[in-house]
Amino acid sequence: METLNFLLQGFAVALTPENLMFAAIGAILGTVIGALPGLGPANGVAILIPLAFSLGLPASSALILLTSVYAGAMYGGRISSILLNIPGDEPAMMTCLDGYPMALKGRAAEALAISAIASFIGSLLATVGLVILAPILAKFALRFGPAEYFALFTLAFATLGGITGKNQVKTVVAACLGLMIATVGVDITTGNQRYTYDILELYEGVDFIIAIVGLFAISELLFFIEMHAGEGFKKVSLNKLNLSMKDIIQVLPTCLRGSVLGFIAGVLPGAGASLGSFLSYTMEKKIVGKSGYFGEGDPRGVAAPEAGNNAAANGALVPMLTLGVPGSGTTAVLLAMLISLNIQPGPMLFTQNAELVWGVIAALFVGNLILLLLNIPMIGIFVKLLSIPPKYLMPVVTLVASVGIFAISNSPLDLYFMIGFGLLGYLLRKLHIPLVPVILGMLLGPEMEKSLRHALTISDGDWTILWSSGLSVGIWAVAIAGLVLPYLIGPVLRRRMAAAQDRDHSIVD
């Protein structure tokens, strides 16, 4: 009953005219961003964070805008997957396997409609799961002391590679780089300057909003310049929608199964939407068996990954809000937004900022409904955006990011820092070193250092305090498993994903 009362208070925040407007704007922008190959939800949220700051939005409105962008981008990723056979982001990869064959058979509109319905169901059920699970996990996390929090932060870094991670060593290198950048500034304990080089702007450390925009948006522009992609994408034609109630009923059990699997994958730190999408598709293929025609345009092959990746996207908000540990790359960017607003995610968030957090959760319900209402009737408009040449699109993206950064501080030096991080991001991507661990290291580094110092102060320098409780031992065990499992399970999963793609694409060809 207490949770229901909090949720009703959240709807009172989310349903104000101003926040409804921001939810609608975020849903539209997110769908556009998700539909354009290469951008994805993390880039979309990163680009719009400076804009939210420069507009001086209240914390609740800013978070409603950005979470709506996040949800919209997860919806939009299916458009290019179905029409172009190019996933808008990694979680939409499995949608290509049956979405594109449906489009080739003249059923593109049906595939897009089914994916929108599956996305709605997955996101809705995951938000219900968030409402139920988040308060329980937050109350449990109140038992955490500094030693447990240090172990939890270690767990976050240990699981960064995820079960489908390509190279755990490079992930660790990226996380260490982020932790090194987090040490820049004045040490709050000793007052000593660390790596500031007498630059006044560095005394307070490196602004992670600048780092995020540089690493994601500017590096994406540099990659675009390198590839010289100047023309729009060639796509299949969009037919008139002819979706019957029988078609919807056929995919409904698929959506429900995919939603449950996706939510579980999202709650696990480091697993994320990609794993949720893959597991949902694989399980559905096994359940349907020989009666299905997966890889040849089976609607259930569209519904399963879409329900899975959207459920995982909302599930990833659970550890981010309750523990301060992001469950995906995009939630890491959202974590940066919260910290920039002087709001510390964690178990106290649900008591100290109850109105804010429940307003955002209620906005997920509202935004999800807006997305469903927008995506089916307006699909033709979103599809036309795919014909915009990238040579016009990318400069606009860069301009929005640069104006937003400058508007925050009115400091030209911040623009130079942004460009510097863009060059760093470009270099890291060329070396196939992931960017999210760098950001996570910058975000969690200061709190991780505080927890370690606090724990050692309590124990008079005795390091055994870090594993002295049963809870901390359990967290350390999961962290070690997170480091080891990718080496054992990751290659197997990647081979199966590659085999499934090759087999199904060969059927299409």
Side-chain angles (χ1 to χ4, degrees):
M1 184 60 70
E2 183 183 16
T3 298
L4 181 60
N5 290 334
F6 279 127
L7 185 59
L8 291 175
Q9 293 175 20
F11 274 109
V13 174
L15 293 177
T16 62
E18 182 183 39
N19 287 336
L20 275 175
M21 178 186 70
F22 285 123
I25 292 173
I28 295 172
L29 289 176
T31 304
V32 172
I33 289 167
L36 297 171
L39 287 181
N43 279 328
V45 175
I47 291 165
L48 293 176
I49 282 179
L51 185 63
F53 271 110
S54 62
L55 293 175
L57 299 181
S60 58
S61 299
L63 287 171
I64 286 172
L65 171 66
L66 295 178
T67 51
S68 298
V69 170
Y70 180 23
M74 297 305 297
Y75 268 70
R78 78 200 193 284
I79 297 176
S80 57
S81 297
I82 292 170
L83 297 182
L84 307 175
N85 203 27
I86 301 174
D89 55 1
E90 189 177 348
M93 182 174 60
M94 303 304 292
T95 307
C96 296
L97 301 182
D98 283 274
Y100 188 63
M102 283 187 70
L104 293 178
K105 293 179 180 180
R107 302 188 65 198
E110 287 84 352
L112 290 167
I114 287 172
S115 67
I117 293 169
S119 297
F120 172 78
I121 293 173
S123 183
L124 179 65
L125 293 181
T127 307
V128 173
L130 172 64
V131 170
I132 296 171
L133 184 60
I136 297 173
L137 189 58
K139 289 180 180 178
F140 174 73
L142 290 173
R143 302 179 184 179
F144 284 29
E148 286 75 18
Y149 268 111
F150 181 79
L152 184 66
F153 291 137
T154 306
L155 169 63
F157 290 114
T159 56
L160 271 174
I163 294 179
T164 57
K166 294 182 179 179
N167 191 316
Q168 196 77 348
V169 175
K170 289 183 177 180
T171 301
V172 172
V173 169
C176 290
L177 177 60
L179 288 171
M180 290 171 62
I181 296 173
T183 62
V184 175
V186 176
D187 188 335
I188 59 172
T189 303
T190 65
N192 294 330
Q193 296 180 28
R194 302 189 295 192
Y195 313 113
T196 58
Y197 303 104
D198 293 326
I199 300 175
L200 185 63
E201 285 81 359
L202 290 179
Y203 281 21
E204 295 183 358
V206 177
D207 190 332
F208 32 73
I209 299 300
I210 296 172
I212 286 172
V213 174
L215 288 171
F216 285 96
I218 304 302
S219 68
E220 189 67 38
L221 173 68
L222 296 175
F223 259 86
F224 160 73
I225 293 173
E226 181 184 34
M227 291 186 297
H228 302 289
E231 301 301 326
F233 299 101
K234 295 180 180 180
K235 59 183 184 298
V236 298
S237 58
L238 188 67
N239 62 300
K240 185 178 179 181
L241 179 62
N242 185 24
L243 188 68
S244 66
M245 183 58 65
K246 181 181 177 181
D247 295 326
I248 297 175
I249 294 174
Q250 181 190 23
V251 300
L252 189 58
T254 300
C255 295
L256 297 176
R257 288 189 289 264
S259 300
V260 173
L261 264 182
F263 180 71
I264 294 171
V267 171
L268 298 173
S274 299
L275 182 63
S277 174
F278 171 71
L279 290 178
S280 300
Y281 184 90
T282 304
M283 184 185 74
E284 194 62 28
K285 192 173 181 179
K286 288 184 177 180
I287 290 175
V288 173
K290 295 182 180 179
S291 63
Y293 46 100
F294 284 75
E296 302 176 52
D298 193 317
R300 291 164 293 190
V302 176
E306 284 301 307
N309 68 37
N310 280 272
N314 281 15
L317 291 170
V318 174
M320 192 271 280
L321 292 173
T322 58
L323 302 174
V325 176
S328 67
T330 312
T331 52
V333 179
L334 289 172
L335 178 65
M337 179 69 177
L338 281 170
I339 295 174
S340 299
L341 293 168
N342 293 319
I343 299 169
Q344 183 59 50
M348 299 306 296
L349 179 66
F350 283 79
T351 54
Q352 296 177 348
N353 299 95
E355 182 177 320
L356 171 70
V357 69
W358 286 106
V360 171
I361 292 174
L364 289 173
F365 285 105
V366 176
N368 198 35
L369 180 61
I370 291 173
L371 280 165
L372 181 66
L373 297 176
L374 283 176
N375 269 259
I376 294 179
M378 294 182 63
I379 190 63
I381 298 173
F382 292 132
V383 166
K384 288 181 181 179
L385 293 170
L386 294 175
S387 60
I388 298 177
K391 65 181 180 181
Y392 301 128
L393 176 68
M394 293 308 297
V396 172
V397 170
T398 309
L399 177 63
V400 170
S402 301
V403 170
I405 288 293
F406 185 76
I408 294 174
S409 63
N410 294 320
S411 172
L413 186 62
D414 285 348
L415 294 177
Y416 292 125
F417 277 130
M418 180 186 72
I419 294 170
F421 274 105
L423 293 171
L424 175 63
Y426 172 79
L427 176 62
L428 293 177
R429 291 173 65 177
K430 292 291 286 185
L431 296 173
H432 303 289
I433 296 176
L435 302 181
V436 170
V438 180
I439 294 298
L440 200 59
M442 294 178 62
L443 293 175
L444 300 185
E447 290 300 318
M448 190 176 187
E449 183 181 6
K450 288 180 186 176
S451 297
L452 177 60
R453 285 184 169 181
H454 191 187
L456 293 178
T457 300
I458 293 172
S459 65
D460 290 329
D462 184 1
W463 286 81
T464 59
I465 191 176
L466 298 179
W467 48 83
S468 60
S469 69
L471 184 57
S472 59
V473 169
I475 297 173
W476 280 110
V478 176
I480 293 171
L483 280 173
V484 175
L485 282 178
Y487 287 108
L488 301 178
I489 301 177
V492 177
L493 284 178
R494 289 196 295 274
R495 282 197 298 269
R496 289 184 179 180
M497 290 176 71
Q501 284 183 288
D502 293 340
R503 182 171 59 253
D504 292 334
H505 282 152
S506 65
I507 293 174
V508 174
D509 296 338

